Amino acid sequence: MPSFRALVRAGSLLALLTGAGTARAAPPIDRLRLPSGFHIAVYTDQVPSAREMAVGARGTIFVGSMTAGVVYALTDSDGDGRVDRVRVMARGLMMPVGVAFRDGDLYVSDVRSIVILRGIEDRLDNPPAPQTVVADLPWRVGDHGWKFIAFGPDGKLYVPIGAPCNICDVGHQFGRLLRMNPDGSERQDVAFGIRNTVGFTWQPGTGTLWFTDNGRDLLGDDVPGDELNRLDQVGQSFGYPYCHQGDVSDPVFGRGHPCSDFTPPVLKLGAHVAALGLRFYEGDMFPSSYKGGLIIAEHGSWNRSRLSGYRVMAVRFGPDGAVASYTPLVDGFQDNETPWGRPADVQPLADGSVLISDDEAGAIYRLTYDGPA
């Protein structure tokens, strides 16, 4: 990823120049490649730097942002599959990437805190002031301070603490995933050795936590791969900064820390693809082969000689629970090494369609299917 300082500078300018309702060029979705029977449409193109999405109890779509510093609320009041109103719920936050909805309240991540907007769906036209519920998260100037957040089936809020660097020995202060009560109390570390997870979710039926992790840069075009990981027990370590993709020892920090000491990924996703948000698909609209599988947004590379990622991928599992396939679902967010879009998150809806956020185009798309089951 570009440096934290560069993102903050860009965000300061973007906050002055953009906002909900600003006229933007329509995303060229006709360039996207989809499997037969699938269709994609613009849900809204008025959400600059859109990142994580969360669904409210009444169907409101809440969207965090990266450099825009705002949180959006999207409504489709007539049910035609396109947003008819974009509202800004909060401004002036630092990289409020993460949003999570629980019991009528919206939780939003800042790089050093978690804030809450209470009773949000009753206040869309007059949003409440954010109240801080967690104020002292570890943070220092560097990379990976932004946070995807989510509530688990245990009712706990899960919050990542990304590494403040490309590669450094961070001990257990950074590079971990923790959980806490909604009021920030009773914090517990659940996993370590995580460079930067910007997407995690729980498998229906098992309640098992799955997450993406972005591999380090500057080891070449093809190593290490980003990771799809599964947490089988609290306290597991996934290798950073000593071991990458489960089998590549770090040239600086790896000595004395064999890869066999750490939990390997379930799947190597490819080098520099920047895998971010992911969700299990449980809907009935898509073909049955997608049900129970994962959909992953790949934001795309920034320091590879030829681009990788810039697509949405589908992971299917076999009867034994092992990965059976890893294939493109939506591809074509870059043309001839020039990106026009960068998928950041995916969000299945109750009707079986799936939303895809794109922080490059400032848009959200709706993916549907009308082919054979």
Side-chain angles (χ1 to χ4, degrees):
M1 288 293 294
S3 73
F4 180 89
R5 287 187 179 90
L7 285 166
V8 170
R9 287 196 298 268
S12 298
L13 179 60
L14 189 64
L16 294 173
L17 298 179
T18 65
T22 301
R24 301 170 62 88
I29 60 172
D30 58 310
R31 303 179 190 176
L32 295 173
R33 299 184 294 275
L34 311 168
S36 177
F38 283 89
H39 308 276
I40 197 163
V42 174
Y43 194 59
T44 178
D45 58 5
Q46 299 297 316
V47 282
S49 75
R51 278 280 189 143
E52 186 181 357
M53 296 175 283
V55 183
R58 302 174 194 170
T60 309
I61 308 300
F62 297 101
V63 187
S65 70
M66 184 66 138
T67 53
V70 303
V71 178
Y72 307 98
L74 315 180
T75 50
D76 172 16
S77 58
D78 58 7
D80 67 351
R82 186 175 175 91
V83 170
D84 47 47
R85 189 164 183 189
V86 177
R87 300 172 174 93
V88 172
M89 298 291 97
R91 299 182 183 273
L93 299 171
M94 183 176 286
M95 298 185 182
V97 165
V99 288
F101 185 87
R102 182 180 184 274
D103 294 341
D105 300 329
L106 184 68
Y107 294 73
V108 180
S109 67
D110 195 292
V111 296
R112 287 166 288 192
S113 63
I114 306 295
V115 301
I116 186 171
L117 284 73
R118 299 194 182 278
I120 189 64
E121 286 187 296
D122 291 325
R123 302 283 304 276
L124 295 179
D125 291 321
N126 181 28
Q131 301 173 11
T132 300
V133 291
V134 181
D136 55 351
L137 295 172
W139 178 83
R140 71 177 189 231
V141 174
D143 297 325
H144 315 130
W146 50 91
K147 294 170 175 59
F148 181 105
I149 61 174
F151 281 95
D154 55 5
K156 302 282 188 178
L157 178 64
Y158 286 67
V159 179
I161 309 296
C165 55
N166 170 38
I167 183 72
C168 54
D169 195 341
V170 294
H172 280 172
Q173 184 181 16
F174 295 92
R176 60 191 168 110
L177 179 64
L178 58 89
R179 64 185 174 189
M180 63 190 73
N181 291 332
D183 63 1
S185 64
E186 297 184 16
R187 299 184 199 183
Q188 179 189 23
D189 292 319
V190 296
F192 303 97
I194 302 168
R195 180 175 177 268
N196 184 36
T197 179
V198 196
F200 41 88
T201 191
W202 289 264
Q203 187 171 32
T206 70
T208 303
L209 175 68
W210 292 68
F211 65 95
T212 57
D213 193 15
N214 291 179
R216 66 156 290 180
D217 298 317
L218 307 179
L219 282 186
D221 273 2
D222 300 316
V223 176
D226 283 7
E227 300 174 5
L228 174 63
N229 292 305
R230 183 184 66 228
L231 182 71
D232 293 317
Q233 60 185 21
V234 170
Q236 283 177 282
S237 179
F238 293 84
Y240 180 85
Y242 313 114
C243 176
H244 312 291
Q245 69 171 40
D247 56 11
V248 173
S249 181
D250 189 83
V252 174
F253 299 105
R255 182 173 297 178
H257 301 278
C259 286
S260 58
D261 287 351
F262 307 106
T263 303
V266 173
L267 181 65
K268 301 172 189 177
L269 301 176
H272 307 292
V273 299
L276 302 186
L278 76 166
R279 300 290 194 287
F280 282 94
Y281 184 77
E282 289 295 298
D284 294 321
M285 179 184 289
F286 292 3
S288 59
S289 62
Y290 287 88
K291 193 160 188 174
L294 278 165
I295 301 175
I296 304 175
E298 293 186 351
H299 198 230
S301 62
W302 68 274
N303 69 336
R304 193 172 186 273
S305 59
R306 292 190 62 81
L307 297 180
S308 60
Y310 297 95
R311 59 192 181 179
V312 176
M313 300 293 288
V315 177
R316 296 181 180 90
F317 300 98
D320 60 354
V323 172
S325 64
Y326 170 56
T327 56
L329 180 57
V330 185
D331 202 355
F333 288 95
Q334 58 98 3
D335 288 324
N336 298 316
E337 300 298 296
T338 301
W340 60 265
R342 303 190 77 180
D345 193 20
V346 294
Q347 179 61 68
L349 298 182
D351 65 359
S353 64
V354 172
L355 299 181
I356 301 165
S357 63
D358 174 355
D359 66 349
E360 179 75 15
I364 293 176
Y365 315 107
R366 182 169 173 260
L367 182 66
T368 56
Y369 178 80
D370 63 3

